Amino acid sequence: MSLVRHGSIQAQPNDTTIALDDIVVRLRLSRERAKTEDPTAVYVRDLPSPELASGVAKGLFGAFFPRHGGGQDGSDAGLDYFVGHALNTALRTLQDLIARELRLSLSQQASQEVEAASAARELVRSFATKLPDVRESVLTDVRAAFDGDPAAQTTAEILLSYPGVKAIFHHRLAHELYRLGAPIVARIFSEIAHSATGIDIHPGAQIGRNFFIDHGTGVVIGETTVIGQRVRLYQAVTLGAKRFETNENGGLVKGIPRHPIVQDDVVIYAGATILGRVTIGRGSTIGGSVWLTHSVPPGSYIVQAHARSEVFEGGAGI
């Protein structure tokens, strides 16, 4: 068995000893170079943990849907107790995660670290008051999935297994955190769902109720996207930016509107790509694999050019 002695791993005979001391020093030198080369780099302890954030999301799902999220006692009193415990645990952990994020942002602003704890407490209080509204929005998304998918048998099936609903559940939580001023924790929430479903929704995207992503894999929704109510997307849809504005130094200009506006009652089929700050008018249908970089009026029906089928016989066409 290998042993660690004097800063190295003592290998078996005929193996090469690993010089840990040298590797540790080189890694430290790499960190020091990064500090000088990256002007935005700020180093603080205890950054927000994606593993803890995943537990928060699971706890909030249980609080929203206790019969699906682990509540064992079916009585109202029993479920209320379960919900209260789940909320208390999740929100306490969330407050700690946000305090870690705020310590990072405050250190970037050369502010006092002591402000982070009280600011996190107020942010989580505001977030908690929005949770009943968030649950109501998620319920409309579940109903949209049930109404829009002929294969759906029950809402329980949708809540427990549909990737589109998982993604939008995480997004609705993430969007509130993003809006309230915790963009790093919000992005972590979004990436938990992205990793699990293949659906990439930036927490800044504004999405109305009754939203349904069918199948879902490969869907991308950018930061400044605005989506109305009763919108349906299929797999591999991209709502992205056409170009990135740069400043006089060549750096990207961040935060400007650069993604589509999708109005109410729009359907976008698989593989469609819509780029830039364009508007898809209410009630429009965008066909599969369409590439669209301009606005379309309400009620539009946009499809790609049809392939032409011809038969060549007896040497014709040569």
Side-chain angles (χ1 to χ4, degrees):
M1 182 175 69
S2 298
L3 300 174
V4 177
R5 294 179 178 172
H6 307 298
S8 65
I9 296 179
Q10 187 67 43
Q12 295 292 335
N14 302 321
D15 288 340
T16 302
T17 299
I18 301 175
L20 294 183
D21 285 345
D22 178 63
I23 296 171
V24 168
V25 170
R26 289 165 60 195
L27 289 172
R28 172 165 48 79
L29 291 174
S30 177
R31 295 197 306 272
E32 291 171 353
R33 281 196 301 274
K35 290 180 182 179
T36 60
E37 294 171 359
D38 181 2
T40 68
V42 177
Y43 294 87
V44 297
R45 293 180 296 174
D46 301 326
L47 292 171
S49 162
E51 290 75 18
L52 291 176
S54 182
V56 171
K58 183 178 180 180
L60 292 176
F61 181 85
F64 280 16
F65 307 105
R67 297 180 191 274
H68 304 80
Q72 300 299 314
D73 185 341
S75 69
D76 287 340
L79 290 178
D80 283 348
Y81 178 83
F82 174 84
V83 168
H85 177 72
L87 283 175
N88 184 59
T89 302
L91 293 176
R92 283 179 178 273
T93 304
L94 179 63
Q95 182 173 315
D96 177 65
L97 291 172
I98 292 174
R100 297 182 189 190
E101 174 178 345
L102 294 180
R103 279 195 292 271
L104 173 61
S105 60
L106 289 172
S107 63
Q108 289 175 319
Q109 301 166 18
S111 300
Q112 297 295 318
E113 271 191 33
V114 292
E115 299 174 24
S118 60
R121 186 162 51 250
E122 290 304 312
L123 193 154
V124 171
R125 182 178 289 114
S126 297
F127 174 76
T129 63
K130 297 293 294 183
L131 290 177
D133 293 332
V134 173
R135 184 184 189 275
E136 290 298 317
S137 293
V138 175
L139 284 176
T140 71
D141 303 324
V142 172
R143 174 52 60 181
F146 185 81
D147 292 341
D149 184 3
Q153 300 299 311
T154 65
T155 55
E157 172 193 8
I158 292 167
L159 271 170
L160 293 172
S161 66
Y162 272 41
V165 169
K166 185 182 186 73
I168 192 62
F169 165 75
H170 280 77
H171 172 73
R172 295 207 184 278
L173 296 174
H175 182 68
E176 289 301 325
L177 292 171
Y178 183 88
R179 186 182 62 81
L180 289 167
I184 295 176
V185 174
R187 192 61 183 263
I188 291 171
F189 269 61
S190 293
E191 291 304 322
I192 291 168
H194 183 194
S195 298
T197 66
I199 299 168
D200 183 2
I201 310 176
H202 192 283
Q206 301 175 49
I207 301 178
R209 290 188 171 193
N210 295 277
F211 181 59
F212 178 36
I213 304 175
D214 200 358
H215 306 296
T217 305
V219 166
V220 177
I221 301 175
E223 175 191 15
T224 62
T225 302
V226 178
I227 297 176
Q229 299 193 60
R230 300 175 299 279
V231 170
R232 182 166 21 130
L233 308 183
Y234 287 83
Q235 67 272 20
V237 166
T238 296
L239 303 177
K242 184 178 180 181
R243 63 175 59 89
F244 301 118
E245 301 291 336
T246 58
N247 58 29
E248 62 276 7
N249 298 318
L252 292 179
V253 179
K254 299 179 183 291
I256 62 173
R258 60 193 182 279
H259 300 99
I261 298 171
V262 180
Q263 295 183 343
D264 298 345
D265 303 302
V266 169
V267 179
I268 306 176
Y269 283 98
T273 298
I274 304 173
L275 302 180
R277 194 59 163 186
V278 300
T279 298
I280 307 303
R282 179 172 184 160
S284 293
T285 297
I286 309 301
S289 301
V290 164
W291 180 278
L292 192 59
T293 58
H294 62 269
S295 297
V296 299
S300 296
Y301 182 71
I302 310 296
V303 296
Q304 63 174 331
H306 293 290
R308 187 174 65 181
S309 177
E310 297 185 9
V311 177
F312 297 96
E313 297 179 347
I318 297 176

